[in-house]
Amino acid sequence: MKVNQLKAGVILTYIQLIVGNIISIIYTPIMLRILGQNEYGLYNLSSSTISYLGLLSFGFGSAYIRYYSKYKVENNKNEIKKLNGMFITVYSVIAIVALIAGSVLILNVETIFKNGLTVSEINKSRILMSFMVFNLAISFPTSVFTSYITANEKFLFQKILGTVQTILNPFVMLPVLLMGYKSVGMVIATTVITLIYSGLNMWYCLKKLKMKFTFGKFNLSLMKEITIFSSYIFLNMIVDQINWNVDRFLLGMFKGTGAVAIYGIGSQFNTYYLNFSTAVSGVFIPKVNRMVTKSDDNKVLTELFTKVGRIQFIILSLIMSGFIFFGPYFIKIFAGEGYELAYPVALLLMIPVTVPLIQNLGIEIQKAKNMHKFRSILYFLIAIGNLFISIPLCKTYGIIGCAIGTSSTMILGNCILMNWYYHKKVGLDILYFWKSIAEFIPGLIIPIFSGITMSFIGINSISRFLGMGVIYIVVFSISIYKFSMNDYERELFRGPLLKIKAKLLSRQGGQAYDKNS
């Protein structure tokens, strides 16, 4: 059943991503045109600013899964109940702190953005941030229930609920936008949807999974251990906030909401890219923790690390190469005129992050081994470097300057130094990993050649864009399958197709039998 949950979790995650991206492709252009570039930029800026309050979670979510897995292996139900009670208590306190900190931030919006925003934009941003702070505060205690579902590997419920939320979101947002409520209406609708989603997660944990709590027995020694473990994850969170949000914050300070909107579109494509990678690795988090707890065999971990990395590379190389060849026209029809710079921004963010994305299972291996201290400190130092580099680049070169600052620091930290650490300290065989990834080179030659050819031909209509896109996907899939995939990957690719074929033949056989009868 757990194997089925893992497979179903990956498949449903990709269904959710594909459905979500299709909906986004249809919904976002409408939203952009209703809101306008400046108001979209204001919404984006407000969201990025409030996201810094997410740091108050201190990375406790990863710690919960780690300690839950430990107690589950030991079959210690009492400790699990204490863990649940402790996390609910801690996150409730954090929610109160978030409300207070958010209120202080909202009162000082004018001081922070007086050089980049108009008076009306400052007033509207206060309204947007108020709802966003409330939304964030509610998410802290309810995140314990989401972590509990993940720790129990109940991916079917989790992903189905997420897919339904993804589908319903635009059907709620569009009427709100069309009625003229714009960004304020959007953030109110988002809060309502989040409350419903969180309530369903709570119901599932309490009624279906029989989640139990023990309050009043606060384990200070365990809390200290969890705090030490989470402190380095907290540093990672700071890094992510700097790398993915500081550019919009700086652009809001120095260049205005229009620049934030353009950068936001480029960053949105990078977010899609990130999600497609974590869809695979995310469902393996509990398994990695169990493997480390039971044996901590580096050879077995390297094999899993490489197996997942190869699958991620297949998916990401298709997305990246396709975006390189078809991205400019896609952004033109997606966002409209005035967003051309979103293409180089997206590339500058996506290309260097490809390496850590195909290795992101290594992050979970580090956490399970309690060896994530180095990565956290390294990334923190590099993120600070990113901040100091991006400030002058933002003032001088604007949108592109911010993207260059983030890109250059990610190459140093993610691509070079972390591979050294994985190999020398964590115990993963990185040479074996990259040798295995290099096996994809023969399968990429034909798709790259076909993509260059299509670029020379040119894309000047939606029908040509769709036609060439389908051709490219088919060429890529056949070439990778024929020249690069191993037997395990071919079976993953071929298995669902054979099952569909078998079902169709079975139905045809049943219909033929009925007719003969």
Side-chain angles (χ1 to χ4, degrees):
M1 184 62 187
K2 285 185 178 179
V3 173
N4 292 338
Q5 287 277 345
L6 285 172
K7 289 182 179 178
V10 174
I11 292 169
L12 285 172
T13 300
Y14 276 111
I15 290 174
Q16 181 181 349
L17 283 171
I18 291 169
V19 170
N21 289 345
I22 291 173
I23 290 173
S24 180
I25 289 168
I26 298 170
Y27 163 70
T28 303
I30 299 172
M31 178 192 69
L32 288 173
R33 285 155 179 79
I34 293 175
L35 290 181
Q37 191 175 80
N38 288 341
E39 180 138 358
Y40 173 72
L42 183 65
Y43 178 83
N44 215 285
L45 177 62
S46 300
S47 178
S48 298
T49 303
I50 294 303
S51 68
Y52 283 97
L53 294 178
L55 294 172
L56 292 171
S57 70
F58 293 106
F60 286 156
S62 295
Y64 177 87
I65 294 176
R66 181 178 189 266
Y67 286 92
Y68 178 92
S69 299
K70 177 178 179 291
Y71 295 140
K72 189 74 172 178
V73 170
E74 297 170 357
N75 196 29
N76 194 333
K77 294 181 180 179
N78 287 330
E79 289 299 324
I80 289 176
K81 288 192 287 186
K82 291 179 185 178
L83 189 73
N84 293 339
M86 183 173 70
F87 269 80
I88 285 289
T89 302
V90 169
Y91 272 126
S92 297
V93 173
I94 289 173
I96 295 171
V97 174
L99 288 172
I100 296 171
S103 300
V104 173
L105 184 62
I106 291 166
L107 291 173
N108 289 278
V109 167
E110 185 175 0
T111 304
I112 299 170
F113 296 113
K114 61 182 178 181
N115 293 326
L117 305 185
T118 64
V119 174
S120 62
E121 287 174 337
I122 289 171
N123 292 331
K124 182 170 284 190
S125 70
R126 285 199 177 101
I127 300 172
L128 295 174
M129 289 183 184
S130 297
F131 282 101
M132 290 175 179
V133 168
F134 173 78
N135 196 356
L136 182 67
I138 293 295
S139 72
F140 283 127
T142 57
S143 67
V144 178
F145 299 98
T146 306
S147 296
Y148 188 79
I149 295 171
T150 301
N152 280 276
E153 300 181 62
K154 298 299 180 182
F155 300 114
L156 280 172
F157 171 82
Q158 199 171 49
K159 300 306 178 183
I160 289 172
L161 183 61
T163 302
V164 172
Q165 183 186 17
T166 300
I167 294 171
L168 286 178
N169 191 60
F171 288 100
V172 175
M173 293 294 185
L174 277 177
V176 170
L177 288 171
L178 291 172
M179 286 188 290
Y181 293 107
K182 295 198 172 183
S183 57
V184 174
M186 285 175 61
V187 75
I188 294 173
T190 299
T191 302
V192 173
I193 292 171
T194 301
L195 288 171
I196 295 171
Y197 176 81
S198 300
L200 289 171
N201 274 328
M202 291 172 63
W203 169 83
Y204 185 76
C205 288
L206 297 174
K207 296 296 183 181
K208 298 297 182 180
L209 300 182
K210 306 301 180 184
M211 186 179 184
K212 304 294 183 183
F213 304 87
T214 297
F215 295 99
K217 296 182 179 179
F218 206 88
N219 190 333
L220 291 176
S221 61
L222 176 61
M223 190 64 216
K224 181 180 178 181
E225 186 179 341
I226 289 174
T227 302
I228 294 171
F229 174 84
S230 300
S231 62
Y232 300 109
I233 299 173
F234 174 60
L235 280 179
N236 290 339
M237 294 170 63
I238 295 175
V239 169
D240 287 339
Q241 287 295 329
I242 293 175
N243 285 339
W244 304 130
N245 288 308
V246 76
D247 289 346
R248 279 174 282 191
F249 189 83
L250 293 174
L251 288 168
M253 289 180 67
F254 301 121
K255 300 295 180 180
T257 53
V260 176
I262 295 169
Y263 191 95
I265 292 296
S267 181
Q268 185 173 342
F269 284 102
N270 183 55
T271 300
Y272 294 153
Y273 195 56
L274 293 168
N275 290 339
F276 268 98
S277 173
T278 54
V280 176
S281 61
V283 299
F284 284 95
I285 295 173
K287 182 176 181 179
V288 167
N289 279 277
R290 287 198 309 272
M291 289 170 66
V292 172
T293 300
K294 289 180 178 179
S295 64
D296 198 11
D297 188 329
N298 284 330
K299 183 177 180 182
V300 175
L301 289 170
T302 296
E303 289 174 355
L304 179 64
F305 177 67
T306 304
K307 180 189 290 187
V308 174
R310 282 178 60 91
I311 295 170
Q312 290 171 318
F313 182 84
I314 294 169
I315 298 163
L316 295 182
S317 59
L318 170 61
I319 297 170
M320 172 57 71
S321 58
F323 187 78
I324 289 172
F325 297 126
F326 305 108
Y329 184 79
F330 181 69
I331 287 177
K332 181 180 179 181
I333 60 174
F334 177 80
E337 299 294 334
Y339 287 92
E340 291 80 9
L341 285 178
Y343 175 71
V345 167
L347 284 183
L348 284 167
L349 297 178
M350 291 165 65
I351 291 174
V353 85
T354 301
V355 172
L357 285 183
I358 64 174
Q359 295 181 332
N360 56 18
L361 190 66
I363 300 172
E364 304 308 326
I365 293 173
Q366 289 177 69
K367 291 177 185 176
K369 287 173 170 278
N370 202 8
M371 296 181 66
H372 52 293
K373 176 180 178 180
F374 173 84
R375 177 180 180 273
S376 301
I377 295 173
L378 171 66
Y379 277 26
F380 178 73
L381 294 174
I382 288 178
I384 296 301
N386 176 22
L387 176 61
F388 283 106
I389 291 172
S390 295
I391 290 173
L393 287 173
C394 177
K395 290 180 177 179
T396 306
Y397 301 106
I399 300 168
I400 299 300
C402 284
I404 290 173
T406 300
S407 178
S408 59
T409 53
M410 283 196 296
I411 291 172
L412 175 62
N414 293 332
C415 304
I416 300 173
L417 296 177
M418 276 312 303
N419 273 265
W420 169 85
Y421 183 68
Y422 279 134
H423 191 73
K424 292 293 185 181
K425 303 298 180 181
V426 179
L428 299 175
D429 190 344
I430 291 299
L431 297 178
Y432 169 81
F433 175 86
W434 283 113
K435 182 180 178 182
S436 183
I437 295 297
E439 293 173 359
F440 286 104
I441 293 175
L444 292 172
I445 294 173
I446 295 175
I448 290 173
F449 178 77
S450 66
I452 293 172
T453 302
M454 292 178 188
S455 297
F456 277 118
I457 293 173
I459 304 172
N460 52 21
S461 66
I462 294 177
S463 59
R464 180 174 288 189
F465 170 77
L466 294 174
M468 288 185 174
V470 170
I471 292 171
Y472 183 78
I473 291 172
V474 171
V475 170
F476 182 95
S477 301
I478 293 173
S479 181
I480 288 290
Y481 182 89
K482 181 72 175 176
F483 300 111
S484 298
M485 285 186 181
N486 56 35
D487 291 339
Y488 170 76
E489 291 153 359
R490 289 193 180 101
E491 182 59 31
L492 285 178
F493 184 82
R494 187 172 56 231
L497 298 178
L498 291 175
K499 287 181 180 179
I500 294 171
K501 181 180 178 181
K503 287 182 179 180
L504 291 174
L505 291 174
S506 177
R507 288 180 181 178
Q508 290 175 358
Q511 290 172 357
Y513 177 79
D514 291 339
K515 288 179 181 179
N516 292 331
S517 298

